[in-house]
């Protein structure tokens, strides 16, 4: 029953992120006005905003004017619902749920805006940097052992965040200087955020997953001619999704690696 609650919390936050992703790039307020239909301007009632179910019940259309609601709305709600459910199963409801929930939401809105507009907003990145530096000493206290090898002291946790954030920023800066067409300033700053957030070795897994999945998708798009050689593909969404995977399953990803490694060594 509580898992259903976690799903609805995640779905409702997903609904809010949909709105934020539409409004923030235009500099509009994310608080007011309340949700309304972009086609007929009618305010949505709370029963129009039950995550996932309203979309299915109304078959993806506005209740009042029947205008199509983008499928993205439901996909983000369902995805966030699933993520929050999985956080609940791992950590229950508590400080970990709140902190991981906020981190995942932040990454998701960055991914959405970059995917749709090719932008990573400083208005999201800079406040995140400040909050993550302040949060850096407390990861073990929050029950989230980012090192995966045991708990960190507060000083170790702070140093881990700052060193990993700075390291990721500098590595991505070097990549951007070497391949000026590949990566933008937003990606470099996002790498710093991810370093601060996930620490070592989490950020390594996060960015590695981002680079591999982004590279595979880019190759696929080139092969199927959906992407020209001169086109650019936003890279932020892959970094963000890689980080979500590392935050939720970093320990498992590391042990799979060790198992595969042991297997290879035995040959
Ligand atoms: Zn409408």
């Amino acid at each position: 029953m509580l898992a259903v609650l976690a799903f609805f919390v995640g779905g409702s936050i997903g609904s809010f992120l949909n709105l934020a992703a539409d409004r923030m790039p235009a500099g509009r307020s994310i608080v007011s006005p309340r949700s309304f239909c972009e086609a007929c301007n009618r305010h949505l009632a709370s029963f129009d905003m039950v995550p996932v179910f309203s979309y299915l019940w109304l078959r993806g259309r506005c209740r009042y004017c029947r205008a199509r609601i983008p499928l993205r709305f439901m996909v983000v709600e369902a995805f966030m619902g699933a993520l929050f459910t999985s956080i609940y199963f791992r950590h229950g409801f508590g400080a970990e749920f709140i902190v991981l929930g906020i981190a995942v939401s932040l990454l998701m809105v960055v991914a959405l805006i970059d995917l749709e507009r090719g932008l990573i907003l400083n208005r999201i990145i800079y406040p995140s940097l400040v909050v993550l530096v302040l949060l850096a000493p407390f990861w073990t206290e929050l029950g989230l052992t980012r090192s995966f090898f045991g708990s960190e002291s507060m000083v170790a946790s702070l140093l881990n965040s700052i060193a990993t954030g700075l390291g990721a920023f500098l590595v991505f800066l070097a990549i951007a200087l070497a391949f000026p067409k590949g990566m933008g300033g937003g990606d470099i700053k996002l790498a710093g955020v991810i370093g601060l957030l996930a620490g070592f070795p989490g950020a390594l897994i996060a960015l590695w997953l981002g680079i591999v999945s982004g590279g595979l998708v880019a190759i696929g798009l080139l092969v199927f001619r959906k992407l020209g050689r001169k086109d650019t593909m936003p890279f932020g969404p892959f970094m963000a999704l890689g980080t979500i995977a590392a935050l939720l399953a970093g320990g498992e990803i590391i042990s799979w690696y060790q198992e595969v490694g042991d297997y290879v060594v035995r040959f």
Side-chain angles (χ1 to χ4, degrees):
M1 204 46 223
L2 284 173
V4 177
L5 179 64
F7 184 88
F8 274 94
V9 171
S12 304
I13 290 173
S15 171
F16 173 72
L17 297 182
N18 275 316
L19 175 146
D22 282 341
R23 293 186 184 179
M24 286 190 84
R28 288 155 63 200
S29 164
I30 52 173
V31 192
S32 81
R34 327 197 303 268
S35 297
F36 61 92
C37 169
E38 300 276 347
C40 67
N41 290 326
R42 289 277 305 254
H43 280 287
L44 301 186
S46 45
F47 52 79
D48 295 325
M49 297 194 292
V50 183
V52 183
F53 288 94
S54 289
Y55 188 95
L56 294 175
W57 177 249
L58 298 168
R59 295 204 203 91
R61 288 176 184 277
C62 169
R63 178 192 300 279
Y64 310 103
C65 71
R66 315 299 300 157
R68 275 222 164 276
I69 303 165
L71 182 63
R72 181 257 267 174
F73 279 76
M74 193 200 70
V75 172
V76 171
E77 288 168 4
F79 186 60
M80 289 298 289
L83 287 179
F84 274 62
T85 310
S86 107
I87 296 172
Y88 164 71
F89 279 128
R90 266 155 204 278
H91 301 282
F93 285 122
E96 298 102 316
F97 187 85
I98 295 171
V99 172
L100 282 177
I102 293 172
V104 162
S105 306
L106 166 80
L107 292 163
M108 200 58 205
V109 79
V110 168
L112 275 176
I113 295 173
D114 196 20
L115 191 66
E116 295 192 331
R117 324 226 177 190
L119 284 174
I120 294 179
L121 300 177
N122 287 336
R123 244 172 314 134
I124 299 178
I125 296 293
Y126 292 153
S128 307
L129 288 172
V130 175
V131 171
L132 287 170
V133 170
L134 294 176
L135 199 61
F138 303 106
W139 290 101
T140 302
E141 262 65 25
L142 289 166
L144 300 163
T145 49
R146 296 179 307 166
S147 70
F148 303 116
F149 307 125
S151 55
E152 293 172 303
S153 71
M154 285 168 80
V155 175
S157 185
L158 176 66
L159 292 177
N160 184 351
S161 268
I162 290 181
T164 312
L166 211 59
F169 179 86
L170 291 174
V171 168
F172 273 65
L173 181 65
I175 298 175
L177 291 174
F179 307 99
K181 287 195 153 182
M183 236 167 268
D187 296 321
I188 304 170
K189 285 178 252 177
L190 180 60
V193 166
I194 290 170
L196 271 172
L197 170 64
F200 180 83
L204 204 62
I205 303 170
L207 295 171
W208 186 84
L209 287 174
I211 287 171
V212 170
S213 60
L216 288 175
V217 170
I219 291 168
L221 290 175
L222 278 170
V223 167
F224 292 103
R225 314 243 168 189
K226 300 272 184 210
L227 191 75
R229 284 187 182 281
K230 295 211 174 111
D231 293 339
T232 53
M233 184 186 76
F235 188 56
F238 296 98
M239 295 164 74
L241 291 179
T243 308
I244 290 175
L247 288 176
L248 298 191
E252 281 86 342
I253 295 171
I254 286 186
S255 29
W256 290 336
Y257 249 80
Q258 284 165 343
E259 276 170 36
V260 173
D262 289 347
Y263 191 73
V264 171
V265 166
R266 257 183 254 132
F267 271 91

